[in-house]
Amino acid sequence: MRFVAVFAMVLALGGCGLVALPCKLTRDLAEVIPGVGGVVAAPFDACAKAID
């Protein structure tokens, strides 16, 4: 069942979205850091936008 869910998410992302996924996940995790999260997440956000 888990495989089906992961496979459906991969299909929904498609080409560039799948490649940008590591940048997007890291950006989301960095934004959680209190105080400096936005500054730390900025390069990862730029990475994701460049790929998309």
Side-chain angles (χ1 to χ4, degrees), residues 6-15 17:
V6 170
F7 188 69
M9 287 189 301
V10 169
L11 285 178
L13 286 174

Side-chain angles (χ1 to χ4, degrees), residues 14-32:
C16 294
L18 185 60
V19 175
L21 184 63
C23 293
K24 292 179 180 183
L25 287 176
T26 307
R27 176 197 64 205
D28 290 341
L29 290 174
E31 285 180 347
V32 176

